[in-house]
Amino acid sequence: MECAQKAQREWKHRPAGERANILHRWVSLIEENREDIARLMSSEGGKPLA
């Protein structure tokens, strides 16, 4: 919890444009790796991936 609170304090001091760039990059990484993420989530839940 302490780490999350520290990260939030640091995050809120970043300029909005910088935060937006970070979030856009995060979305891009998720989209680029969606098959691997789906496989991982499926195996963690014990269900087959169609």
Side-chain angles (χ1 to χ4, degrees):
M1 192 62 142
E2 290 173 17
C3 289
Q5 290 172 335
K6 181 180 182 241
Q8 175 59 26
R9 285 191 298 271
E10 293 173 7
W11 180 255
K12 73 179 181 180
H13 291 292
R14 290 180 182 259
E18 184 179 344
R19 292 192 311 255
N21 288 337
I22 291 168
L23 293 175
H24 284 291
R25 179 67 180 137
W26 185 40
V27 169
S28 294
L29 288 169
I30 290 171
E31 289 172 349
E32 291 170 18
N33 295 286
R34 69 176 179 228
E35 292 297 322
D36 291 333
I37 294 169
R39 238 181 263 103
L40 178 62
M41 291 176 70
S42 180
S43 67
E44 285 177 347
K47 297 184 178 184
L49 182 63

